[in-house]
Amino acid sequence: MANTETALKEAAGIVGAIGAALVDYTSGMALGTIGGSKELDLNVAAAGNTDVVRAKVRAMEMLGLNDEIEDILITLGGQYHLIRLLKGRGTNGLFLYLALDKERANLAMARHQLKKIESELDV
């Protein structure tokens, strides 16, 4: 089982990664971050993407969808932002956030690797 620090280091090792965070979407606070840049403040991104997750959860409830969100993808001109809601033991209300450089990243592989990181994470 990987702890938060190990999981974030693994996420940062994904090809094309700009930064990653483990976020509590009940509070909007990042429990841990790695990477980022002047243009990508991961704490601000954590709080902002919390609103995205809450909105999608609310929309699913309003639609009566009895399903779970695996991940949410936001595609920008030069980046992918991937939000993976965690479902493992002790991870309720948490998501992994990964920002990727679109030119270097393989989106399918990044999704696969985030799923693996999730399966090994013990918070």
Side-chain angles (χ1 to χ4, degrees):
M1 287 294 184
N3 63 19
T4 300
E5 183 180 348
T6 303
L8 289 173
K9 284 181 181 176
E10 288 179 23
I14 294 172
V15 174
I18 298 168
L22 177 64
V23 184
D24 175 354
Y25 68 82
T26 58
S27 69
M29 301 294 292
L31 304 177
T33 64
I34 191 167
S37 66
K38 285 190 291 187
E39 295 82 26
L40 181 64
D41 181 321
L42 290 169
N43 289 303
V44 172
N49 284 303
T50 293
D51 292 336
V52 172
V53 171
R54 288 178 185 162
K56 187 58 189 171
V57 168
R58 236 182 355 263
M60 287 181 63
E61 289 170 357
M62 290 173 20
L63 291 168
L65 298 176
N66 189 21
D67 209 344
E68 294 180 339
I69 299 169
E70 286 185 13
D71 52 39
I72 298 169
L73 171 64
I74 300 166
T75 305
L76 305 177
Q79 297 177 357
Y80 294 122
H81 291 216
L82 194 54
I83 299 167
R84 174 122 191 134
L85 276 70
L86 304 182
K87 298 171 192 68
R89 184 177 62 85
T91 62
N92 191 33
L94 301 179
F95 66 86
L96 278 169
Y97 168 72
L98 178 65
L100 297 161
D101 179 311
K102 208 172 178 180
E103 292 291 318
R104 298 184 306 125
N106 177 324
L107 185 56
M109 185 57 74
R111 289 185 69 221
H112 175 74
Q113 289 173 294
L114 269 188
K115 186 176 182 178
K116 181 179 180 295
I117 291 167
E118 173 192 8
S119 72
E120 297 171 352
L121 181 61
D122 187 24
V123 180

